[in-house]
Amino acid sequence: MAMMLSLDAVAALVDHLRNDGRKVIGPVLRNATISLDEIDGVDDLPAGWTEHQDGGSYRLERLDRPELFGHATPALPWKSWLYPPRTMLMRANRDNGSVTIEKPTPGAEPFAFFGIRSCDVHALDILDRVFLDPADPTYTARREKLFVVAATCARPGGTCFCVSMGTGPAPSIGYDIALTELWAGDRHEFLARAATDRGRALLGRLEGRAPTEADLAAADHLVGNATQNMGRQLDPTHPTAAAERYEHPQWEAVARRCLACANCTMVCPTCFCSTTEDTTDLSGAVSERWRRWDSCFALDFSFLAGAPVRSSTKSRYRQWLLHKLVTWHDQFGTSGCVGCGRCITWCPVGIDLTAEMTALALDPGGPS
Amino acid sequence: MPADSDESTGRGPMTPVLYRVEARHQELADTVTIRIAPVTERLTDPEPGQFEMLLAFGVGEIPISISGLGDGGGELEHTIRSVGAVTKALCTSAVGDLIGVRGPYGVGWDLDRATGHDLLIVAGGLGLAPLRPAMLEALANRHRFGRLVLLVGARDPGSLMFVEELERWRGRFDIDVAVTVDAAPPSWRGDVGVVTKLLSRAPVNFGNTTAVVCGPEVMMRFVAAGLADRGVPPGQIRLSMERNMRCAIGHCGHCQLGPEFVCKDGPVFPWDRMEKLMLVRER
Amino acid sequence: MKSIRDLLGEHLLFRDFHPDLLELMAGCGHNVHFEAGEQILTEGAPASEFYLIRSGKASVGVTVPNRGTVLIETLGPDEVIGVSWPFPPYRWEFSSTAIDPTSAIAMDAECLRSKCDQEPVLGYQVFKSFARLMRDRLQATRLQLLDLYGNHAG
């Protein structure tokens, strides 16, 4: 089912999602970036803004027309709403030699992701493979209720390489409704496609017109353009070539630049590692266990009986990159990378995993 | 979407069950065996080689192998060395204390697959703890195996655990038990030297042997390589790996060793899947 | 009763040797037996005979003032007591005592040295076997040095 929506109809779409009881998460201007937060309506979207992204660099820029989706990937990953940075696992109350364990109910109002890019939709599919079996209660409860309104990427960023990873720029899986923002002179419209029953039902509640051949051609043209404008690329044969080069000098080279700050893992839409923290109140009667995001770049991540298995930055970067691009396939049947480019943009020293992969793959790196 | 395996009990996968410390035995200066029993809900009985997550309330949770099963009442034995805050809290727990338990988790020794083989059990130090249930299972099903050989390495005679049991086993005619220590006073009548030295003398047919090995990683590496040299098929050499697990269900990412999640793909792995991984530094 | 040649061929050290080479060495060997507690080698003494253990158990130790004899390792069946015999000045560097009753083949060191000199094929095989034995002992000693089972919590 496809139809053409005006800006007002798209505004109504957001209103319907909200009126149906969903929290709508979408791109917003925050901290001099296009980031993510709950939106009350289309007015909260960063209309007329885009950004320039490069290794370790991000600048907002104005567009000459009020495009809603004129940006690339937002700074934050969407995973924050399905897999929150902190989750309480349990609370134990000790009283008179007995202990009662309370488990928090993972209840959360249903979310809608509005304007999510295809790379990020693919990231949800990757997280599903981690958290649905065995089921993480919080992720599962939120994921089951999630409504996905994807947006076709018209202006890929300077660090984007979804084409290399086969995840974009046009939404292909995992959405209820996909929007493609189209301009014909001053006429501002959206081609809306529904892929699920609930997506079709929602489109059925909106005013719109049937798309013409010209509308469909314009959408195809936009996707074709975006495909040609990737800021980065990753040769799919490179990870395989680099897979067993554990002692390649490039690991030392990247470790000299890497700060082990963990930014890349925090902004990555698929990084899922976590740790647990235990706290008690002053009396010691009430203790809580919390799960919070962790990073394989943290020194204590690999602690074993008091000392880390991976003490060098080299070994931690190697673990991250080879997990993301190589061993993820063994574990989950897919790459762990969707080509969103966030790890490149938000690396304080601009380390570029596509360049690292190329260096590892093209030079055998001495005797091995 | 796939169902949560714990959904039937209404318990989340990270929610522990209450167990009470029933008995406590000081094995060594820094090592304690606790026997715990369910307060109400009882976890599934573990297979030899599996592990559980033990929670000291307010302190933290840690993976601990199972060193023994009770007599059918759901009791579990865990042998714990005090090396950090959580293990210290568990080691100092008193009879009657409550702890949280999740599990059992992971792939165990899987002795069914050793049926008809000679069974060689090689333990180093604390590694005897997770091998004890394997030994007990093998003894309970003695007819299923050919020769049954237990090789034990320890730091010194005072660091041997389960000594009474070792002496009892050594007195049997259907088991070969050899114990070696790295250092000993002149009064020691047993062997001195690393446990790898006992391999050549193990009275097994190496080509038709299953070996189960647990101890420090370096010790397992040399034992496995030594056994493979002597003709034990690499797929029949099984090692129990240790990594820092936070969740035990493949969610936290901490225990990754190359493509493997030690918590759910292991902790017991065949040598042919570990050999390359163990030779990469800081893997 | 088995011949010395047969017994040599059964020992791990010479198990892969050609029968001709075993025959050549057999003249250097004879059977010995040590009672528990009997001294086998004494540090500093001439390395005139070394022993291929067939059964039993012997210690390897070194005398330390005020500590007596410190036990370093034990040797059992298929192992060898005495590895200093091929090299000048042909003296033992460690002591060995039988812990259990121990049966062995005693090999005359000078006899074997001269046969190895005269017959390089035998010499190469014997030294290859001893190199492997030394590799195994070095590996075991290195593992012993690691204090594998100590509590190394940082």
Side-chain angles (χ1 to χ4, degrees), chain B residues 130-155:
Chain B
L131 284 168
R132 184 170 169 261
M135 186 69 185
L136 294 172
E137 181 181 289
L139 289 173
N141 301 275
R142 183 64 192 85
H143 61 281
R144 281 182 18 211
F145 309 100
R147 302 295 291 261
L148 176 57
V149 178
L150 172 65
L151 307 179
V152 178
R155 188 188 208 191

Side-chain angles (χ1 to χ4, degrees), chain A residues 22-339:
Chain A
R22 298 181 184 280
K23 267 192 184 174
V24 181
I25 311 301
V28 294
L29 286 178
R30 280 278 183 288
N31 304 325
T33 65
I34 295 165
S35 189
L36 292 172
D37 207 341
E38 185 175 357
I39 58 169
D40 295 333
V42 288
D43 290 347
D44 289 340
L45 299 172
W49 288 97
T50 188
E51 84 285 36
H52 176 81
Q53 296 192 41
D54 204 343
S57 158
Y58 187 103
R59 293 284 179 278
L60 283 179
E61 288 174 357
R62 293 300 315 215
L63 291 167
D64 56 11
R65 60 188 185 189
E67 293 180 29
L68 298 188
F69 304 123
H71 53 275
T73 45
L76 284 183
W78 299 82
K79 68 182 179 185
S80 313
W81 279 270
L82 300 179
Y83 165 50
R86 273 172 65 78
T87 312
M88 189 162 77
L89 296 172
M90 55 157 266
R91 179 186 288 124
N93 300 291
R94 269 186 285 196
D95 180 33
N96 250 343
S98 76
V99 174
T100 46
I101 295 174
E102 291 170 45
K103 184 186 81 162
T105 36
E109 54 234 274
F111 289 108
F113 286 173
F114 187 83
I116 183 173
R117 298 312 157 94
S118 183
C119 57
D120 283 339
V121 177
H122 278 264
L124 299 183
D125 176 63
I126 290 172
L127 284 180
D128 287 350
R129 295 165 194 245
V130 179
F131 287 130
L132 294 186
D133 183 19
D136 175 72
T138 302
Y139 184 90
T140 308
R142 294 176 179 214
R143 183 70 170 107
E144 280 172 343
K145 295 178 196 158
L146 180 68
F147 194 100
V148 175
V149 180
T152 301
C153 212
R155 298 177 189 276
T159 59
C160 286
F161 54 103
C162 67
V163 169
S164 299
M165 304 314 292
T167 62
S172 53
I173 60 159
Y175 62 85
D176 295 291
I177 294 171
L179 300 175
T180 305
E181 187 170 22
L182 294 173
W183 295 80
D186 285 341
R187 201 176 73 201
H188 186 196
E189 281 183 305
F190 298 81
L191 169 64
R193 291 185 170 100
T196 60
D197 286 343
R198 56 185 188 168
R200 283 183 282 274
L202 183 49
L203 282 194
R205 291 156 73 186
L206 301 174
E207 301 279 329
R209 65 174 177 86
T212 63
E213 288 297 322
D215 294 325
L216 297 175
D220 286 348
H221 180 72
L222 183 144
V223 169
N225 257 348
T227 304
Q228 298 303 313
N229 282 305
M230 290 289 125
R232 296 287 198 277
Q233 56 181 337
L234 178 67
D235 185 321
T237 65
H238 285 178
T240 317
E244 305 220 330
R245 293 181 178 163
Y246 305 114
E247 302 300 335
H248 196 291
Q250 188 62 27
W251 298 120
E252 295 284 1
V254 69
R256 282 195 287 275
R257 290 175 288 145
C258 176
L259 308 175
C261 72
N263 258 18
C264 50
T265 54
M266 296 295 110
V267 295
C268 177
T270 67
C271 271
F272 60 83
C273 289
S274 63
T275 188
T276 43
E277 286 176 343
D278 296 78
T279 62
T280 57
D281 67 355
L282 285 176
S283 72
V286 180
S287 61
E288 290 179 353
R289 303 208 79 219
W290 287 78
R291 175 178 74 185
R292 67 162 172 79
W293 288 359
D294 199 358
S295 169
C296 53
F297 283 93
L299 187 57
D300 66 359
F301 185 84
S302 64
F303 261 34
L304 192 59
V309 172
R310 291 187 282 271
S311 58
S312 68
T313 301
K314 164 189 154 177
S315 68
R316 285 177 266 152
Y317 187 86
R318 187 179 67 186
Q319 165 64 22
W320 177 71
L321 191 62
L322 292 185
H323 181 219
K324 189 68 53 185
L325 292 172
V326 181
T327 54
W328 208 295
H329 285 278
D330 302 305
Q331 296 170 346
F332 301 108
T334 155
S335 173
C337 177
V338 295

